[in-house]
Amino acid sequence: MGCSSPALWVILATALSFSALRVHAAPPRSVVDKGSLAATSSADVCSHFFSRQDCGYVGITEDACIQRQCCWSPSMAPIPWCFQRKDEEYLCTADVVSRRDCGYMGINAQECYNRGCCWDSSSNQINAPFCFLKHHKCDGYTVSNVQESAHGLTLDLKLNGDPNACARFGSDIPNLAVVVDFETESRVRVKVLNKDAKRYEIPTDALPSTESTIRRDGKRGYTFQYKQNPFTFSVTRVSDGEVLFDSSVAGMDSLIYENEYLEISSVLPNDANIYGLGEVVSGFRRDTRGTRQTMWARDAATPVDQNLYGSHPFHLEMRNGNAHGVFLRNSNGMDVVITPRKITYKTIGGVLDFTVFTGPTPTNVINQYTEVIGRPHMPPAWALGFHQSRYGYNNIDQVQQVVQRYKQENLPLDGMWIDIDYMDNFKDFTYDEARFPKARVRELTTQLASNNQSLVLIVDPGIPIEPGYEPYDTGMEGGVFIKSLTGKPIEGRVWPGQTYFPDFFNTNETWAWWEHELRLTRQDLGDNVYPWIDMNEPSNFCNGPCTKDTPKANEVSSEATPLPLKYSINNAGRQAPLDEKTIAENAVHKNGLRLTDTHNLYGHMESRATHHALLQLKPDTKPFILTRSTFPGTGTYAAHWTGDNWSEWSHLHYSIPGILSFGLFGIPFTGADICGFNGNTTEELCLRWHQLGALYPFARNHNAIQASDQEPYVWPNSVLPATRQALQIRYSLLPYLYGAFERAHRTGQPVWQPLFFKYPQDPLTLKIDQQFLLGDSILVSPALSAGLLKVKAYFPGSGPWYDFTTHERVMGADPNPNGSDRSHRYALLNAKAGTDPIPLSISGGSIIPIHLNPQLTVASTRSQPISLLVALDPKGFAKGEMYIDDGSSVKPLHQARVSFELTAGQKLVSRAALKSGNSDLTNMTPAQAQEFRTQLEHTDRIEKIVIMGLDFAPATSPAQNQGSQEEHEQEADEEEDGTENLLFRHHHQNKHQYNSEASPLVVKKLSKLDQKKSNLSTAKALSLSELNINGAKLALGNGLQGGADGTQGQDPTTGYAWQVNQEAGSLTLTGLKMDLFSEWFVQWKTV
């Protein structure tokens, strides 16, 4: 009944309504009228007695009553103990984001109504409950005091009403402080704190303070405004008046600040373009109809739209061609919910600490963001090569055979990897002496080192509880493991069995112990051995702490659990317990921090510790680390892969938004397991995956122990030649890639970029995630489904694009660049599996440096001469650059920045800026020059230049050059069945060739094909009369001398050779032997 009362009360109760009687099933906790304790100075909202309106159900508890925002007051009288607050309106109209669960799995509408709750079974995409509590709006906070300065302001906030008035998931904190810091001209920080007590914040050991990056002297590009009651705030960009963050959201609570639940929302435009928030397998652009992104590091085999290994509460948004970013500096578990016209943050701890980055370009935003969290690390050059791995190499002989087979098949390889197979019973820092004897592994590393290759070994954080096992013994002596509140190490279970987990927040003892173990590995095997740190969410085969008798996580009963009184983030897409497949939340670090706050930082701190250790071992050698779990700032220390993906076409596509997202997160050195980790790949899928994966920033083939082999040579007639071709492209692109990584290290700019990064004003780019930009200038259009012979590619911007391999113009300059119709910017590109390479297109106005004759390792390739691919824009301009250092030093002593620029379509100039330490080497002595070149371990020659976009066709009038929209649509809509309208395709390309009287070369005759299709009027043809290569003038006479049809030739004195490709519209110069580190030029004249 819920009251221990005399029989008289029982008799009286029979006269009362059933609804009043049913709330008394719970036994009384106290006879104190707690409603009186919740009274405020203005009104006692819980003091009414006989007028109580039922707010509960049979068996309701005090906590559940408070969660309903109701009053609780046990009584001897037969009246509701849980009742509605006086003069409050309880409604079922809560926004879907604000619903609080009132049911259980399988509840129906009638059962929901019986619990006094609301029912709405309309489908939603955020796992919001159908049965939910009635709701009344929280009154928020009032600004009570303001202190302003030139660099910001501080606001005191006082709760409107009593602490239990809102009580979404506990009592509200009555006094808050808002600290607004105008940190730079493009960055404002807004921090909401408990004024009366210190709360957990991310320690500077994990994420450095922003103090060193604060600049207060620039003119601020934003304004900060606030509303007094209820408190809300907004940040507006000055340049365009765009409101970037606005917490005054219709229908939502203005601010909820409770001990274990914090909530705030911001207004979004309709159908907002939001990117980031992860880690997740999904499309790149987040779904504004309903996205619930959970931040809780989790070991899972890459399910779609669920939280995964890393946590990144950062997003970039595009509005009207401009970009801004928002970062919540909080490591606690949270949900970030996007629904129409708003984004809502729901975190279960910490503080609300927002930084708004005003952009206004996407590149600006990532520059501003990585300035706060840390710039991406600069990888060692060898790590940009190709890597081979798998879980399931049975012995060292198999590994050596793979290395030999790669060489035999003329496949590049820079990193050979071994999974946990090499360990003795899966114990870190050990070797299975039967299958992977330490002496044989060392023999392998020595062999690899002789070829400038490296070995990467997996290391998991779980250390088996085994006295006599050195890492365990020394770890126990040093007190390096995470402990429970009782002071005993937390016990879990992973591959070796029962384990303890290192406390990487212990930056003294644990870091020293970790360095010691890695040092022993290097001493055992060699300096070309690097760590791959996995399972660091941290993963656990139990749910929370466990002993030998605890069932595995997947053996735990799936029966319904009681409705939680705390907010449940959407862990695993089903609000799974936070300790599911990880260690206990209540574990504690040596510094006193609780794992419930730091869980999302575990892998990040292991990356920091590992990076520190490698620098201690080799202070001037760039570390290489691959980590699975990440957090903002991890990119400063480690590379990342997207985890246990699947050998499916959908996951081939998902790898693109995954890598693009990590570019936003400041971790550009990211890749996906090529051909897929889980399941068996197919021949065609593996071919396509190698084509795309060869362009991943981090490129590795890796798969699971139970899966079939998927090395490229498994299919010698298809995947093997296609992979060889793809890797030749990758290795030829190393100068371009290395420069892109250096730019990322310096500015944060991603290596892979979404199309809108360079073309933010083009609205079609906002939804494209099947194409991407490699660096600034190469458009990649991969085949992502089975059976394709062509891919339909969109070409952003208004300039021309050129094929990377054939040098032909695949899209001409737009005759109407300001037009709204963009249908003519699509084209079908050849992509036949087994013959055609992955479609790569160079944007007009770019100069791409590549290596000629790519070799089987990065080191060997770096010695090969350079070729320049020059792609003209409509005005005949192009530019590019190279960055060169020794590829291995943390702080390279010798560096070169080489710029290339083509002006007016007829003069290409190279300039080099050379440095040795802090010295400018513009005027080097011969001895200095020789030392400089020797230390760089890089070629110093340019031997070839290809200039694309020269009009070897009759000049045409602008009207004739435009073509019809119908013709463009016809080509873009051709069926991808292997048929090709050759007549139309050739005519289409010629219509888009740039027409200018200054065009250097024009073919003197039309093909019959063009004469038949184009009906273009012929203008006077131009011919090349002079070629000047760095002062050597080559008189060519009437046309190009020395070759068939006057299209090629060689100067007998200098050895310089030239060739015109009339169909492609390109001029190729070879035999140049230009000095990469000196100034030079190439110039030509036309008549």
Side-chain angles (χ1 to χ4, degrees), residues 394-396 421-425 429-442 524-525:
N394 291 325
N395 52 54
I396 189 65
D421 310 283
Y422 78 92
M423 299 177 182
D424 176 21
N425 292 317
F429 313 114
T430 65
Y431 309 90
D432 184 327
E433 288 298 327
R435 299 186 304 122
F436 289 87
K438 181 167 64 175
R440 293 286 309 280
V441 178
R442 182 175 181 85
D524 287 343
L525 303 178

Side-chain angles (χ1 to χ4, degrees), residues 1016-1035:
L1016 302 177
S1017 62
T1018 302
K1020 181 180 178 180
L1022 300 176
S1023 62
L1024 187 66
S1025 64
E1026 182 179 297
L1027 189 60
N1028 184 338
I1029 301 179
N1030 208 31
K1033 296 182 179 180
L1034 310 182

